[in-house]
Amino acid sequence: MGRIYFTDEQLKDLSVNPFVKKASNKAITYTDEFKEYYVSEYNTGKMPLEILRNAGFDVKALGKQRVDNLSRRFLSMGKRQEGFSDLRKETSGRLATKHLTPDEQITRLKHQVKYLKQENEFLKKMNFINREAQWKSKLKQKKNSK
């Protein structure tokens, strides 16, 4: 089943909703206040569809999958120490190497050398296995041609 895209009319309705930070035809970014509201209402026993309807969302436009995902995501955010804030800007992937001390740089480079040595050994073994397979294939061809 594919992704549900929002129509222009649905986007207009979403952009008017005070609980929507930003909306595109593919995704909705909710405000932190809505996430907190959702979790508090859910913990009082309300069902996800009821919470969304009370917040002014068209549940049919959102779709079952999106409702299930946002429910799971908001509830897990509620359990996090950081809360409902967006962590993508703080931890954006690879660690910065600009501000490493010389000892940290040496440790990092040693690790990199060790990794590359392991990778070279693996590639040598794969090369050997491929050559061995080609050799056996040639032997079979010679036997079959006789």
Side-chain angles (χ1 to χ4, degrees):
M1 192 166 213
R3 180 183 296 240
I4 298 175
Y5 293 100
F6 296 114
T7 64
D8 290 337
E9 185 178 314
Q10 291 169 336
L11 274 174
K12 190 182 285 186
D13 291 340
L14 285 171
S15 64
V16 174
N17 192 314
F19 293 121
V20 175
K21 197 184 285 187
K22 161 174 90 166
S24 70
N25 65 340
K26 294 181 182 179
I28 305 169
T29 304
Y30 302 94
T31 62
D32 292 342
E33 293 80 27
F34 176 67
K35 296 171 189 175
E36 291 173 19
Y37 166 77
Y38 183 92
V39 171
S40 66
E41 292 293 304
Y42 186 86
N43 289 336
T44 61
K46 291 188 179 177
M47 298 302 291
L49 294 178
E50 182 182 356
I51 299 168
L52 289 166
R53 278 191 205 105
N54 291 342
F57 288 101
D58 179 12
V59 243
K60 286 190 178 185
L62 293 178
K64 183 181 180 340
Q65 186 69 41
R66 189 175 274 123
V67 170
D68 292 343
N69 289 342
L70 79 86
S71 183
R72 188 177 334 105
R73 194 171 63 245
F74 291 172
L75 294 173
S76 69
M77 283 179 171
K79 295 175 186 174
R80 287 190 324 201
Q81 189 176 19
E82 299 86 8
F84 297 99
S85 61
D86 190 2
L87 301 177
R88 289 177 290 186
K89 293 174 185 160
E90 296 168 13
T91 55
S92 61
R94 206 178 334 181
L95 296 173
T97 57
K98 293 178 184 176
H99 308 294
L100 294 178
T101 65
D103 287 339
E104 290 172 332
Q105 286 177 343
I106 289 171
T107 304
R108 183 175 170 80
L109 290 171
K110 282 182 180 179
H111 175 73
Q112 190 174 15
V113 167
K114 186 176 179 182
Y115 178 83
L116 291 172
K117 282 182 179 179
Q118 288 176 346
E119 186 177 38
N120 283 340
E121 287 300 315
F122 173 76
L123 292 172
K124 285 178 187 177
K125 287 178 185 176
M126 291 303 297
N127 192 14
F128 175 76
I129 290 170
N130 286 337
R131 278 192 276 132
E132 190 177 35
Q134 288 174 352
W135 181 71
K136 286 181 181 179
S137 174
K138 285 181 183 178
L139 282 178
K140 279 187 179 180
Q141 286 176 356
K142 284 184 181 180
K143 283 184 181 180
N144 292 339
S145 66
K146 288 183 181 181

